[in-house]
Amino acid sequence: MKIDLQNLKTKNEDFGSVYFRNIDKTNSKAELGIFIGEKKYIGKGYGTLIARQALNYAFTEMKINKVYARVLKYNKPSYYMFKKFSSIIKIYIYI
């Protein structure tokens, strides 16, 4: 999957990663992970834009019906970002 960085206005600078893992085709589910590694991009809405594109890809291209994410308890920005998609994604919080 390729995220269109031009639409994110990052000047093609790498600032993190997005991935699916634990892909279970039998049960049509996968885990979504997003990591924003550059502090200057945190809290700017990039995670939300990336999640939206990734979820669209999972549902249309991968034919996945269930997506979940794991969030560390102290990572409130990540939790609130994923919570925007709580109607279509399951969130697991870890200590």
Side-chain angles (χ1 to χ4, degrees):
M1 172 177 56
K2 180 172 173 54
I3 300 297
D4 183 0
L5 294 178
Q6 294 296 328
N7 288 335
L8 300 179
K9 299 179 183 168
T10 63
K11 300 178 186 174
N12 286 328
E13 181 180 348
D14 291 336
F15 61 90
S17 61
V18 58
Y19 60 86
F20 288 100
R21 69 179 185 183
N22 299 323
I23 299 169
D24 180 350
K25 292 186 179 188
T26 302
N27 295 304
S28 188
K29 66 181 182 177
E31 178 182 351
L32 170 61
I34 297 173
F35 172 73
I36 306 292
E38 296 293 327
K39 288 185 179 184
K40 66 182 178 181
Y41 294 112
I42 294 174
K44 308 283 191 222
Y46 293 112
T48 300
L49 292 172
I50 291 167
R52 187 172 290 117
Q53 288 185 11
L55 290 166
N56 183 56
Y57 181 83
F59 297 137
T60 60
E61 301 297 323
M62 296 173 64
K63 307 299 184 205
I64 296 293
N65 293 323
K66 300 173 195 161
V67 176
Y68 63 95
R70 300 177 198 213
V71 178
L72 294 172
K73 184 178 180 180
Y74 66 83
N75 192 344
K76 292 187 189 300
S78 181
Y79 171 76
Y80 288 120
M81 185 276 300
F82 279 120
K83 190 174 178 180
K84 294 174 186 176
F85 302 97
S86 63
S87 64
I88 57 173
I89 188 171
K90 175 85 173 163
I91 304 168
Y92 296 97
I93 300 173
Y94 287 86
I95 296 175

